[in-house]
Amino acid sequence: MPRQAAGALLFARGDHDTAEVRDSINATEPDQLYGLIALALVLHYPGKRSGLCMRCGVTWPCEQVRLAFRLREGF
């Protein structure tokens, strides 16, 4: 059963605890980490002419992109 459906089921039945519903709806830690990696790769991109990171202003790939790639390789 998908997480959100499980949380909705607990809430509809009435035998829930607020923390239990919140935990059943929230994404797991690996899901959140993968989302942050994707966000870093979207926000930190090279300029077409300058070759600098458009977010940091340093030579691309910047430290954030390098870290995101290293974390991604860990999956």
Side-chain angles (χ1 to χ4, degrees):
M1 177 180 293
R3 278 191 185 290
Q4 291 179 338
L9 180 61
L10 286 171
F11 190 77
R13 285 194 329 220
D15 58 346
H16 67 280
D17 174 272
T18 305
E20 186 180 9
V21 172
R22 184 187 64 238
D23 290 343
S24 69
I25 293 174
N26 287 343
T28 62
E29 190 172 312
D31 292 340
Q32 291 174 349
L33 183 58
Y34 199 77
L36 290 172
I37 291 169
L39 183 62
L41 296 175
V42 168
L43 292 177
H44 295 267
Y45 60 94
K48 290 185 180 189
R49 294 184 184 191
S50 66
L52 300 176
C53 174
M54 296 303 289
R55 182 83 173 181
C56 301
V58 298
T59 304
W60 197 87
C62 64
E63 190 59 33
Q64 291 294 329
V65 169
R66 290 173 194 238
L67 178 61
F69 274 116
R70 276 187 258 143
L71 287 172
R72 186 177 171 272
E73 291 299 316
F75 280 112

